[in-house]
Amino acid sequence: MRDEWFIRGKVPMTKSEVRAVSISKLELKPDSVLYDIGAGTGSLSVEAALGMPAGQVFAIEHKDDAVELIRQNREKFRADNVTVVHGHAPEALLGLPPATHCFLGGTGGKMEEILAVLFKQNHAMRIVANIIALESLSGILELVKNMDIPAEVVSVQVAKAERAGNCHLMKGQNPVYVISMGGETT
């Protein structure tokens, strides 16, 4: 889905190309239950929900302005299988139906606590995290190593053409590391 289709405001959003890779790495099924932790604008929640007609997405976000954007985007795209959860993870996960999949867009520095709760809830959960900072990448890799969980890391680097006079020049976006772990093995 195009980025410009979403209502954005000033809340960070997972960009289209990174969303495509992240959703692919989630390996969702039509009836999956997905937690989107740090849901931002809800772009990933909405796009994933539209591809899971019998599934459920819980968009977990603690920022008031972001929660409102998720609600607006859910309504705009008629993604009725998205439930907005206003709160901080991992506490906001209590009482939710167990997830089969989780996307980590933002953890507020609680990556270890969140992963512990997720894997305790479902040891076969498929988890995908988007990381920008090198320190966060190092931290999550050390964490999953200590938890003895194999992880795949993909670096997504996108450049888009921008008009400069009569020409177009490529303008690079920040690289994003997409970390995938867990899930069913076939």
Side-chain angles (χ1 to χ4, degrees):
M1 295 174 67
R2 296 180 198 171
D3 291 340
E4 59 268 19
W5 291 353
F6 290 94
I7 302 166
R8 287 212 36 206
K10 294 183 180 181
V11 173
M13 180 174 79
T14 303
K15 303 296 188 293
S16 174
E17 295 80 9
V18 175
R19 259 194 330 273
V21 172
S22 299
I23 290 173
S24 171
K25 293 296 182 183
L26 277 166
E27 302 170 357
L28 297 165
K29 297 176 181 168
D31 63 347
S32 294
V33 176
L34 171 66
Y35 294 164
D36 179 359
I37 297 176
T41 62
S43 64
L44 188 127
S45 293
V46 167
E47 188 162 346
L50 295 176
M52 304 182 336
Q56 181 66 43
V57 177
F58 293 91
I60 297 116
E61 178 57 62
H62 72 275
K63 296 177 183 169
D64 295 336
D65 54 343
V67 166
E68 182 55 32
L69 284 173
I70 298 167
R71 288 185 176 128
Q72 290 174 15
N73 282 313
R74 177 186 61 190
E75 185 177 313
K76 177 179 180 179
F77 293 99
R78 295 183 184 97
D80 297 330
N81 55 342
V82 173
T83 300
V84 181
V85 179
H86 192 171
H88 292 271
E91 299 81 12
L93 306 178
L94 299 175
L96 296 180
T100 56
H101 298 76
C102 182
F103 174 73
L104 300 171
T107 62
K110 295 184 177 182
M111 180 70 72
E112 185 171 2
E113 297 91 330
I114 291 169
L115 286 177
V117 168
L118 294 173
F119 281 124
K120 183 177 180 184
Q121 184 186 89
N122 176 358
H123 69 280
M125 186 180 299
R126 179 69 172 170
I127 299 174
V128 172
N130 282 1
I131 305 291
I132 297 173
L134 294 175
E135 292 79 6
S136 298
L137 176 63
S138 175
I140 192 171
L141 292 177
E142 185 65 26
L143 185 58
V144 296
K145 177 183 170 189
N146 291 340
M147 294 173 81
D148 197 30
I149 301 166
E152 175 189 44
V153 180
V154 174
S155 175
V156 179
Q157 298 176 304
V158 176
K160 290 190 172 190
E162 275 194 11
R163 191 165 188 83
N166 292 331
C167 300
H168 287 83
L169 303 177
M170 297 305 289
K171 183 175 181 183
Q173 297 176 358
N174 288 332
V176 177
Y177 300 96
V178 180
I179 295 89
S180 315
M181 64 193 95
E184 298 175 3
T185 57
T186 55

Coordinates of all heavy atoms in Angstrom, one line a residue, residues 35-110:
Y35 N 0.1 -9.2 17.1 CA 0.3 -8.0 17.9 C 1.3 -7.1 17.1 O 2.3 -7.5 16.7 CB 1.1 -8.3 19.2 CG 0.3 -9.1 20.3 CD1 1.1 -9.7 21.3 CD2 -1.0 -9.4 20.2 CE1 0.4 -10.5 22.3 CE2 -1.7 -10.1 21.2 CZ -0.9 -10.7 22.2 OH -1.5 -11.5 23.2
D36 N 0.9 -5.8 17.0 CA 1.8 -4.8 16.4 C 2.1 -3.8 17.6 O 1.4 -3.0 17.9 CB 1.0 -4.0 15.3 CG 1.9 -2.9 14.6 OD1 3.0 -2.7 15.1 OD2 1.4 -2.3 13.7
I37 N 3.3 -4.0 18.1 CA 3.7 -3.3 19.3 C 4.5 -2.1 18.8 O 5.5 -2.2 18.1 CB 4.6 -4.2 20.2 CG1 3.7 -5.3 20.8 CG2 5.2 -3.3 21.4 CD1 4.5 -6.3 21.6
G38 N 4.1 -0.9 19.3 CA 4.6 0.4 18.8 C 4.1 0.7 17.4 O 4.8 0.9 16.5
A39 N 2.7 0.6 17.3 CA 2.0 0.6 16.1 C 2.1 1.9 15.3 O 1.8 2.0 14.1 CB 0.6 0.2 16.3
G40 N 2.5 3.0 15.9 CA 2.6 4.3 15.2 C 1.3 4.7 14.6 O 0.3 5.0 15.2
T41 N 1.4 4.9 13.2 CA 0.2 5.3 12.5 C -0.8 4.1 12.2 O -1.9 4.3 11.8 CB 0.6 5.8 11.1 OG1 1.2 4.8 10.4 CG2 1.5 7.0 11.2
G42 N -0.3 2.9 12.5 CA -1.1 1.7 12.2 C -1.0 1.2 10.8 O -1.7 0.3 10.3
S43 N 0.0 1.7 10.0 CA 0.2 1.3 8.6 C 0.4 -0.2 8.5 O -0.2 -0.9 7.7 CB 1.3 2.1 7.9 OG 2.5 1.8 8.5
L44 N 1.3 -0.8 9.3 CA 1.5 -2.2 9.3 C 0.3 -3.0 9.8 O -0.1 -3.9 9.2 CB 2.7 -2.6 10.1 CG 3.1 -4.1 9.8 CD1 4.5 -4.2 9.4 CD2 2.8 -4.9 11.0
S45 N -0.3 -2.5 10.8 CA -1.5 -3.1 11.4 C -2.6 -3.2 10.3 O -3.2 -4.3 10.1 CB -2.1 -2.4 12.6 OG -1.3 -2.4 13.7
V46 N -2.9 -2.1 9.6 CA -4.0 -2.1 8.6 C -3.6 -3.0 7.4 O -4.4 -3.8 7.0 CB -4.2 -0.6 8.2 CG1 -5.1 -0.6 6.9 CG2 -4.9 0.2 9.3
E47 N -2.4 -2.8 6.9 CA -2.0 -3.6 5.7 C -2.1 -5.1 6.0 O -2.6 -5.9 5.3 CB -0.7 -3.2 5.2 CG -0.4 -3.8 3.9 CD 0.7 -3.1 3.1 OE1 1.1 -2.0 3.4 OE2 1.2 -3.8 2.1
A48 N -1.6 -5.5 7.2 CA -1.6 -6.9 7.6 C -3.0 -7.4 7.8 O -3.4 -8.5 7.3 CB -0.8 -7.1 8.9
A49 N -3.9 -6.6 8.4 CA -5.3 -7.0 8.7 C -6.0 -7.2 7.4 O -6.8 -8.1 7.3 CB -5.9 -5.9 9.5
L50 N -5.8 -6.4 6.4 CA -6.5 -6.5 5.1 C -6.1 -7.8 4.4 O -6.9 -8.4 3.6 CB -6.2 -5.3 4.2 CG -6.8 -4.0 4.7 CD1 -6.4 -2.9 3.8 CD2 -8.3 -4.0 4.9
G51 N -5.0 -8.4 4.7 CA -4.5 -9.7 4.2 C -4.9 -10.9 5.0 O -4.6 -12.0 4.7
M52 N -5.5 -10.6 6.2 CA -5.9 -11.7 7.1 C -7.4 -11.6 7.4 O -7.8 -11.2 8.5 CB -5.2 -11.6 8.4 CG -3.7 -11.5 8.3 SD -2.8 -11.5 10.0 CE -3.9 -10.8 11.1
P53 N -8.3 -11.9 6.5 CA -9.7 -11.7 6.7 C -10.3 -12.4 7.9 O -11.3 -11.9 8.5 CB -10.3 -12.2 5.4 CG -9.3 -13.1 4.7 CD -8.0 -12.6 5.2
A54 N -9.7 -13.5 8.3 CA -10.3 -14.3 9.4 C -9.4 -14.1 10.7 O -9.6 -14.7 11.7 CB -10.4 -15.8 9.1
G55 N -8.4 -13.2 10.5 CA -7.5 -12.9 11.6 C -7.8 -11.7 12.5 O -8.8 -11.1 12.2
Q56 N -7.0 -11.4 13.4 CA -7.2 -10.3 14.3 C -5.8 -9.6 14.5 O -4.8 -10.3 14.7 CB -7.7 -10.8 15.6 CG -8.0 -9.7 16.6 CD -9.1 -8.7 16.2 OE1 -10.1 -9.2 15.7 NE2 -8.9 -7.4 16.4
V57 N -5.8 -8.3 14.5 CA -4.6 -7.5 14.8 C -4.9 -6.6 16.0 O -5.9 -6.0 16.1 CB -4.3 -6.6 13.6 CG1 -3.0 -5.7 13.9 CG2 -4.0 -7.4 12.3
F58 N -3.9 -6.7 16.9 CA -4.0 -5.8 18.1 C -2.9 -4.8 17.9 O -1.7 -5.1 18.0 CB -3.8 -6.6 19.4 CG -5.0 -7.5 19.7 CD1 -5.0 -8.8 19.2 CD2 -6.1 -7.0 20.3 CE1 -6.1 -9.6 19.4 CE2 -7.2 -7.8 20.5 CZ -7.2 -9.1 20.0
A59 N -3.2 -3.5 17.7 CA -2.3 -2.4 17.5 C -2.0 -1.8 18.9 O -2.9 -1.1 19.4 CB -2.8 -1.4 16.5
I60 N -0.9 -2.0 19.4 CA -0.5 -1.6 20.8 C 0.3 -0.3 20.6 O 1.4 -0.3 20.0 CB 0.2 -2.7 21.6 CG1 -0.7 -3.9 21.8 CG2 0.7 -2.1 22.9 CD1 -0.3 -5.1 21.1
E61 N -0.2 0.8 21.2 CA 0.5 2.1 21.1 C 0.2 2.9 22.4 O -0.9 2.9 22.9 CB 0.0 2.8 19.9 CG 0.6 4.2 19.7 CD 2.1 4.2 19.6 OE1 2.7 3.6 18.7 OE2 2.8 4.9 20.5
H62 N 1.2 3.6 22.9 CA 1.0 4.4 24.1 C 0.8 5.9 23.9 O 0.3 6.6 24.7 CB 2.1 4.1 25.2 CG 3.4 4.7 24.8 ND1 4.3 4.1 24.0 CD2 4.0 5.9 25.1 CE1 5.4 4.9 23.8 NE2 5.2 6.0 24.5
K63 N 1.2 6.4 22.7 CA 1.2 7.8 22.4 C -0.2 8.2 22.0 O -0.8 7.6 21.0 CB 2.2 8.2 21.4 CG 3.6 8.0 21.8 CD 4.6 8.3 20.7 CE 6.0 8.0 21.2 NZ 7.0 8.1 20.1
D64 N -0.8 9.2 22.6 CA -2.2 9.6 22.3 C -2.4 9.9 20.9 O -3.4 9.5 20.3 CB -2.6 10.8 23.2 CG -2.7 10.5 24.7 OD1 -2.8 9.3 25.0 OD2 -2.5 11.4 25.5
D65 N -1.5 10.8 20.3 CA -1.7 11.2 18.9 C -1.6 10.0 17.9 O -2.4 9.9 16.9 CB -0.8 12.3 18.5 CG 0.7 12.0 18.7 OD1 1.0 11.0 19.5 OD2 1.6 12.7 18.2
A66 N -0.8 9.0 18.2 CA -0.6 7.8 17.4 C -1.9 7.0 17.5 O -2.4 6.4 16.5 CB 0.6 7.1 17.8
V67 N -2.4 6.8 18.7 CA -3.6 6.0 18.9 C -4.7 6.6 18.1 O -5.5 5.8 17.4 CB -4.0 6.0 20.4 CG1 -5.4 5.4 20.6 CG2 -3.0 5.1 21.2
E68 N -4.9 7.9 18.0 CA -5.9 8.5 17.2 C -5.7 8.2 15.7 O -6.6 8.0 15.0 CB -6.0 10.0 17.5 CG -7.1 10.7 16.7 CD -8.5 10.1 16.9 OE1 -8.8 9.6 18.0 OE2 -9.3 10.2 16.0
L69 N -4.4 8.3 15.3 CA -4.1 8.0 13.9 C -4.5 6.6 13.5 O -5.0 6.3 12.4 CB -2.7 8.3 13.5 CG -2.3 9.8 13.4 CD1 -0.8 10.0 13.3 CD2 -3.0 10.4 12.2
I70 N -4.2 5.7 14.4 CA -4.5 4.2 14.1 C -6.0 4.1 14.0 O -6.4 3.4 13.0 CB -4.0 3.3 15.3 CG1 -2.5 3.4 15.4 CG2 -4.4 1.9 15.0 CD1 -1.9 2.8 16.7
R71 N -6.7 4.7 14.8 CA -8.2 4.7 14.7 C -8.7 5.2 13.4 O -9.6 4.7 12.7 CB -8.8 5.4 15.9 CG -8.7 4.6 17.2 CD -9.4 5.3 18.4 NE -9.3 4.5 19.5 CZ -8.9 4.9 20.7 NH1 -8.7 6.2 20.9 NH2 -8.8 4.1 21.8
Q72 N -8.1 6.4 13.0 CA -8.5 7.0 11.7 C -8.2 6.1 10.5 O -9.0 6.0 9.6 CB -7.8 8.4 11.6 CG -8.4 9.4 12.5 CD -7.6 10.7 12.5 OE1 -6.8 10.9 11.5 NE2 -7.8 11.6 13.5
N73 N -7.0 5.5 10.6 CA -6.6 4.6 9.5 C -7.4 3.3 9.4 O -7.7 2.9 8.4 CB -5.1 4.4 9.5 CG -4.3 5.5 9.0 OD1 -4.6 6.1 7.9 ND2 -3.2 6.0 9.7
R74 N -7.7 2.8 10.6 CA -8.5 1.6 10.7 C -9.9 1.9 10.0 O -10.4 1.1 9.2 CB -8.7 1.2 12.1 CG -9.7 0.0 12.3 CD -10.0 -0.3 13.7 NE -10.6 0.8 14.3 CZ -10.9 1.0 15.6 NH1 -10.5 0.0 16.5 NH2 -11.5 2.0 16.1
E75 N -10.4 3.1 10.4 CA -11.7 3.5 9.8 C -11.6 3.7 8.3 O -12.5 3.3 7.5 CB -12.2 4.7 10.5 CG -13.6 5.2 10.1 CD -14.1 6.4 10.9 OE1 -14.0 6.4 12.1 OE2 -14.6 7.3 10.2
K76 N -10.6 4.5 7.9 CA -10.5 4.8 6.5 C -10.4 3.5 5.6 O -11.0 3.5 4.5 CB -9.2 5.6 6.3 CG -8.9 6.0 4.8 CD -7.6 6.8 4.6 CE -7.4 7.1 3.1 NZ -6.3 7.9 2.9
F77 N -9.7 2.5 6.0 CA -9.5 1.3 5.3 C -10.5 0.2 5.6 O -10.4 -0.9 5.1 CB -8.1 0.8 5.4 CG -7.1 1.7 4.7 CD1 -6.3 2.6 5.5 CD2 -6.9 1.7 3.4 CE1 -5.4 3.5 4.9 CE2 -6.0 2.6 2.8 CZ -5.2 3.5 3.6
R78 N -11.4 0.5 6.5 CA -12.4 -0.4 7.0 C -11.8 -1.7 7.5 O -12.2 -2.9 7.2 CB -13.4 -0.7 5.9 CG -14.2 0.5 5.5 CD -15.3 0.1 4.4 NE -16.0 1.3 4.0 CZ -15.7 2.0 2.9 NH1 -14.7 1.7 2.1 NH2 -16.4 3.1 2.6
A79 N -10.7 -1.6 8.2 CA -10.0 -2.7 8.8 C -10.6 -3.1 10.1 O -10.0 -2.8 11.2 CB -8.5 -2.4 8.9
D80 N -11.8 -3.7 10.1 CA -12.5 -3.9 11.3 C -11.9 -5.0 12.2 O -12.3 -5.1 13.4 CB -14.0 -4.4 10.9 CG -14.7 -3.3 10.2 OD1 -14.5 -2.1 10.4 OD2 -15.6 -3.6 9.4
N81 N -10.9 -5.7 11.7 CA -10.2 -6.7 12.5 C -9.0 -6.1 13.2 O -8.1 -6.9 13.7 CB -9.9 -8.0 11.7 CG -9.1 -7.7 10.4 OD1 -9.1 -6.6 9.9 ND2 -8.5 -8.7 9.9
V82 N -8.9 -4.8 13.2 CA -7.8 -4.1 14.0 C -8.4 -3.6 15.3 O -9.4 -2.9 15.3 CB -7.2 -3.0 13.2 CG1 -6.2 -2.2 14.1 CG2 -6.5 -3.5 12.0
T83 N -7.9 -4.0 16.4 CA -8.3 -3.5 17.7 C -7.1 -2.6 18.2 O -6.0 -3.1 18.3 CB -8.5 -4.7 18.7 OG1 -9.5 -5.5 18.2 CG2 -8.9 -4.1 20.1
V84 N -7.5 -1.4 18.6 CA -6.5 -0.5 19.1 C -6.4 -0.7 20.6 O -7.4 -0.7 21.4 CB -6.8 1.0 18.8 CG1 -5.8 1.9 19.3 CG2 -7.0 1.2 17.3
V85 N -5.1 -0.9 21.1 CA -4.9 -1.1 22.5 C -4.0 0.1 23.0 O -2.8 0.2 22.6 CB -4.2 -2.4 22.8 CG1 -3.9 -2.6 24.3 CG2 -5.0 -3.6 22.3
H86 N -4.5 1.0 23.8 CA -3.8 2.2 24.3 C -3.0 1.8 25.5 O -3.6 1.6 26.6 CB -4.8 3.3 24.5 CG -4.1 4.6 24.7 ND1 -4.9 5.8 24.8 CD2 -2.9 5.0 24.9 CE1 -4.1 6.8 25.0 NE2 -2.8 6.4 25.0
G87 N -1.7 1.7 25.4 CA -0.9 1.3 26.6 C 0.5 0.9 26.2 O 0.9 0.9 25.1
H88 N 1.3 0.6 27.3 CA 2.7 0.3 27.1 C 2.8 -1.2 27.1 O 2.2 -1.9 28.0 CB 3.5 0.9 28.3 CG 3.7 2.3 28.3 ND1 4.6 3.0 27.6 CD2 2.9 3.3 28.8 CE1 4.5 4.3 27.8 NE2 3.4 4.5 28.5
A89 N 3.6 -1.8 26.2 CA 4.0 -3.2 26.3 C 5.1 -3.3 27.3 O 6.0 -2.4 27.4 CB 4.4 -3.7 24.9
P90 N 5.2 -4.4 28.0 CA 4.4 -5.6 27.9 C 3.1 -5.6 28.7 O 2.3 -6.5 28.5 CB 5.4 -6.7 28.4 CG 6.2 -6.1 29.4 CD 6.4 -4.7 28.9
E91 N 2.9 -4.6 29.5 CA 1.7 -4.6 30.4 C 0.4 -4.6 29.6 O -0.6 -5.3 30.0 CB 1.7 -3.4 31.3 CG 2.9 -3.3 32.3 CD 4.2 -2.8 31.7 OE1 4.1 -2.2 30.5 OE2 5.2 -2.9 32.3
A92 N 0.4 -3.9 28.4 CA -0.8 -3.8 27.6 C -1.2 -5.2 27.0 O -2.3 -5.3 26.5 CB -0.6 -2.8 26.5
L93 N -0.3 -6.2 27.0 CA -0.6 -7.5 26.4 C -1.4 -8.3 27.3 O -2.1 -9.3 26.9 CB 0.7 -8.2 26.1 CG 1.7 -7.5 25.2 CD1 3.0 -8.3 25.0 CD2 1.1 -7.0 23.9
L94 N -1.5 -8.0 28.6 CA -2.2 -8.8 29.6 C -3.7 -8.7 29.2 O -4.3 -7.7 29.0 CB -2.0 -8.3 31.0 CG -0.6 -8.3 31.5 CD1 -0.4 -7.7 32.8 CD2 0.0 -9.7 31.5
G95 N -4.3 -9.9 29.2 CA -5.7 -10.0 28.9 C -6.1 -10.1 27.4 O -7.2 -10.3 27.1
L96 N -5.1 -9.9 26.5 CA -5.3 -10.1 25.1 C -5.3 -11.6 24.7 O -4.6 -12.3 25.4 CB -4.3 -9.3 24.3 CG -4.2 -7.8 24.4 CD1 -3.1 -7.3 23.5 CD2 -5.5 -7.2 24.1
P97 N -6.0 -11.9 23.7 CA -5.9 -13.3 23.2 C -4.5 -13.6 22.8 O -3.8 -12.7 22.3 CB -6.8 -13.3 22.0 CG -7.7 -12.2 22.1 CD -7.0 -11.1 22.9
P98 N -4.0 -14.8 23.0 CA -2.6 -15.2 22.7 C -2.4 -14.9 21.2 O -3.2 -15.2 20.4 CB -2.5 -16.6 23.0 CG -3.6 -16.9 23.9 CD -4.7 -16.0 23.6
A99 N -1.2 -14.4 20.9 CA -0.8 -14.1 19.5 C -0.1 -15.3 18.9 O 0.6 -16.0 19.6 CB 0.1 -12.8 19.5
T100 N -0.2 -15.4 17.6 CA 0.6 -16.3 16.8 C 1.8 -15.6 16.2 O 2.8 -16.2 15.8 CB -0.3 -16.9 15.7 OG1 -0.8 -15.8 14.8 CG2 -1.4 -17.7 16.2
H101 N 1.7 -14.3 16.0 CA 2.7 -13.4 15.4 C 2.8 -12.1 16.1 O 1.8 -11.6 16.7 CB 2.3 -13.2 13.9 CG 2.2 -14.4 13.1 ND1 1.1 -15.2 13.1 CD2 3.0 -14.9 12.2 CE1 1.3 -16.2 12.3 NE2 2.5 -16.0 11.7
C102 N 4.0 -11.5 16.0 CA 4.2 -10.2 16.6 C 5.1 -9.4 15.8 O 6.2 -9.9 15.3 CB 4.7 -10.3 18.0 SG 5.0 -8.7 18.8
F103 N 4.8 -8.1 15.6 CA 5.7 -7.1 14.9 C 6.1 -6.1 15.9 O 5.2 -5.5 16.6 CB 5.0 -6.4 13.7 CG 5.8 -5.4 13.1 CD1 6.9 -5.7 12.3 CD2 5.5 -4.0 13.4 CE1 7.7 -4.7 11.8 CE2 6.3 -3.0 12.8 CZ 7.4 -3.3 12.0
L104 N 7.4 -5.9 16.1 CA 7.9 -4.9 17.0 C 8.4 -3.7 16.2 O 9.5 -3.7 15.6 CB 9.1 -5.5 17.8 CG 8.7 -6.7 18.7 CD1 10.0 -7.4 19.2 CD2 7.7 -6.4 19.8
G105 N 7.6 -2.6 16.3 CA 8.0 -1.4 15.6 C 8.7 -0.4 16.6 O 9.4 0.4 16.2
G106 N 8.4 -0.6 17.9 CA 8.9 0.2 18.9 C 8.7 -0.5 20.2 O 7.6 -1.0 20.5
T107 N 9.7 -0.5 21.1 CA 9.6 -1.2 22.4 C 9.8 -0.3 23.6 O 9.7 -0.8 24.7 CB 10.6 -2.4 22.4 OG1 11.9 -1.9 22.4 CG2 10.3 -3.4 21.3
G108 N 10.1 0.9 23.4 CA 10.3 1.8 24.5 C 11.4 1.3 25.4 O 11.4 1.6 26.6
G109 N 12.4 0.6 24.9 CA 13.6 0.2 25.7 C 13.2 -1.1 26.5 O 14.0 -1.5 27.3
K110 N 12.1 -1.7 26.2 CA 11.7 -2.9 27.0 C 11.8 -4.2 26.1 O 11.0 -5.1 26.3 CB 10.3 -2.7 27.5 CG 10.2 -1.6 28.5 CD 8.8 -1.6 29.1 CE 8.8 -0.5 30.2 NZ 7.4 -0.5 30.8

